[in-house]
């Protein structure tokens, strides 16, 4: 009498996920598809054939561009700015843009980094617009100068920075898992970061100081002019 033996192969999804560098859920999903398709490797890794015809998307690149341009234009009279509901009502009256609900409009604008609630502020003083713009044009003219080692164009600035630490050690990243850090932090004081950069020469200097005073600023300028700049005849700031 002939008997049939059933051989079971034990699958260890976590072990294979670590070896392949993928999430354990991916291994489990592929294993399930492999079993459902009768152990056919080609059928497992190939895409499932579509049973229904492809539907053309309503939102094309042209529609996104027109919607973004509309959201960036001036709102109708009586409204301070465009809202998602207002855009939905306005689009319903436009023939060459398909009807879209406000949630879809919000996703399209978010994908194009167009946020309706944001506004842009200018740093031009209201009583000195002409003078301020003229001086800014002078600065831009300096930035546009060609590279001249004898007259370097150097920019310098400083930034306050808060020093923080972790109350508990972070969990390092692993295959299928990102680095994990605690939401809490421990303060370790503050410092000031001084930076000067000469883009056309590919040079920069970054130094951290425990404080920011006029003396610290003067010392950095002195170091820039006497130690790091190769004997220039002049400099532009």
């Amino acid at each position: 009498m002939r008997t049939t033996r059933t051989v079971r192969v034990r699958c260890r999804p976590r072990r294979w996920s670590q070896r392949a560098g993928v999430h354990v859920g991916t291994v489990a999903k592929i294993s399930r598809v492999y079993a459902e398709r009768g152990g056919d490797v080609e059928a497992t890794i190939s895409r499932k054939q579509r049973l229904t015809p492809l539907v053309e998307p309503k939102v094309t690149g042209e529609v996104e561009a027109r919607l973004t341009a509309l959201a960036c234009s001036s709102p109708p009279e009586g409204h301070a700015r465009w809202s998602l509901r207002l855009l939905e009502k306005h689009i319903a009256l436009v023939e060459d843009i398909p009807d879209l609900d406000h949630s879809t409009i919000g996703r399209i604008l978010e994908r194009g980094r167009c946020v309706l609630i944001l506004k842009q502020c200018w740093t031009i003083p209201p009583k000195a617009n002409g003078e301020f713009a003229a001086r800014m044009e002078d600065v831009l003219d300096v930035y546009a100068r060609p590279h001249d080692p004898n007259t370097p164009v150097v920019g310098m600035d400083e930034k306050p920075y808060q020093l923080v630490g972790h109350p508990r050690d972070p969990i390092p990243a692993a295959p299928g898992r990102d680095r994990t850090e605690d939401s809490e932090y421990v303060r370790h004081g503050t410092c000031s970061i001084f930076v000067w950069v000469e883009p056309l020469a590919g040079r920069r200097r970054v130094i951290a100081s425990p404080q920011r005073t006029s003396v610290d600023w003067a010392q950095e300028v002195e170091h820039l002019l006497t130690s790091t700049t190769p004997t220039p005849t002049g400099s532009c700031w």
Side-chain angles (χ1 to χ4, degrees), residues 1-198:
M1 182 176 180
R2 186 176 181 180
T3 59
T4 303
R5 296 181 58 188
T6 302
V7 180
R8 294 185 177 181
V9 179
R10 187 178 180 183
C11 180
R12 300 181 176 87
R14 190 173 300 278
R15 176 184 175 185
W16 288 106
S17 65
Q18 293 176 355
R19 293 185 60 179
V22 297
H23 194 271
V24 63
T26 303
V27 178
K29 181 179 179 181
I30 294 176
S31 301
R32 184 175 64 255
V33 175
Y34 179 78
E36 293 174 352
R37 300 186 180 181
D40 189 347
V41 177
E42 292 295 333
T44 302
I45 63 176
S46 60
R47 295 179 62 91
K48 186 177 180 181
Q49 295 184 356
R50 177 183 291 273
L51 301 178
T52 58
L54 182 63
V55 179
E56 294 294 333
K58 293 176 57 178
V59 181
T60 62
E62 182 180 358
V63 172
E64 291 188 10
R66 290 180 58 85
L67 181 59
T68 303
L70 178 62
C72 295
S73 63
S74 300
E77 186 178 356
H79 297 272
R81 61 180 178 84
W82 285 103
S83 65
L84 296 180
R85 297 283 186 179
L86 184 59
L87 286 171
E88 180 182 5
K89 295 178 181 179
H90 187 80
I91 288 177
L93 304 176
V94 181
E95 296 181 355
D96 53 350
I97 298 181
D99 294 340
L100 303 172
D101 60 279
H102 65 279
S103 58
T104 303
I105 295 174
R107 288 193 297 268
I108 295 174
L109 296 179
E110 183 180 3
R111 188 162 58 241
R113 296 183 179 181
C114 180
V115 184
L116 298 178
I117 62 175
L118 296 183
K119 62 180 180 180
Q120 187 176 16
C121 300
W122 298 89
T123 56
I124 300 178
K127 296 183 179 180
N129 291 348
E131 180 182 0
F132 184 88
R135 292 185 179 182
M136 284 300 300
E137 290 177 355
D138 294 339
V139 174
L140 296 177
D141 290 340
V142 173
Y143 288 160
R145 292 180 181 178
H147 180 230
D148 185 0
N150 294 323
T151 310
V153 179
V154 183
M156 183 173 177
D157 201 355
E158 64 84 25
K159 173 185 178 180
Y161 194 80
Q162 181 177 220
L163 305 176
V164 297
H166 300 287
R168 287 166 287 276
D169 294 336
I171 302 176
R177 186 182 69 242
D178 297 332
R179 172 185 169 93
T180 306
E181 297 181 357
D182 200 298
S183 58
E184 298 181 2
Y185 61 89
V186 180
R187 296 182 179 180
H188 292 289
T190 59
C191 69
S192 291
I193 303 176
F194 291 88
V195 180
W196 66 258
V197 59
E198 187 182 357

